[in-house]
Amino acid sequence: PGVVEVRGQGLMLGIELDRPCAALLGRSAEAGLMISVTAERVVRLLPSLILNRDEAAQIVAILCPLIKEFLREPA
């Protein structure tokens, strides 16, 4: 719930949420992950093309809890 769509091409990924999510920028930076937000509701990931599996797992381990926590908050 709260995630409208996950889409991407190559390593460019977008996670569209059902609400504006600019607040995730600061939270993710504090957690050591740089993301961008586009169209107010899309978390955009643009990892390096030399991303390895461990780094991908680290991104997921940081970002998923942040998004889940964000979506539990009142809109």
Side-chain angles (χ1 to χ4, degrees), residues 1-2 5 11 13 16-17 20 29-30 35 37 39 41 43 46-47 52 61 63-64 66-67 71 74:
E5 181 181 24
L11 288 179
L13 303 171
E16 184 177 350
L17 304 180
E30 288 174 8
I35 62 170
V37 172
R41 303 183 315 153
V43 175
L46 294 166
N52 64 42
L63 188 58
C64 284
L66 287 175
I67 290 176
L71 291 173

Side-chain angles (χ1 to χ4, degrees), residues 16-39:
E16 184 177 350
L17 304 180
D18 65 356
R19 63 191 78 167
C21 57
L24 283 171
L25 290 171
R27 295 177 191 187
S28 65
E30 288 174 8
L33 181 63
M34 299 305 296
I35 62 170
S36 63
V37 172
T38 62

Side-chain angles (χ1 to χ4, degrees), residues 2 9 11 14 18 22 24 26 30-31 36 45 50 52-53 55 60 62 66-67 69 73:
Q9 184 169 355
L11 288 179
D18 65 356
L24 283 171
E30 288 174 8
S36 63
L45 302 173
I50 58 171
N52 64 42
R53 287 183 188 270
E55 292 165 333
V60 171
I62 293 170
L66 287 175
I67 290 176
E69 179 183 328
E73 298 172 0

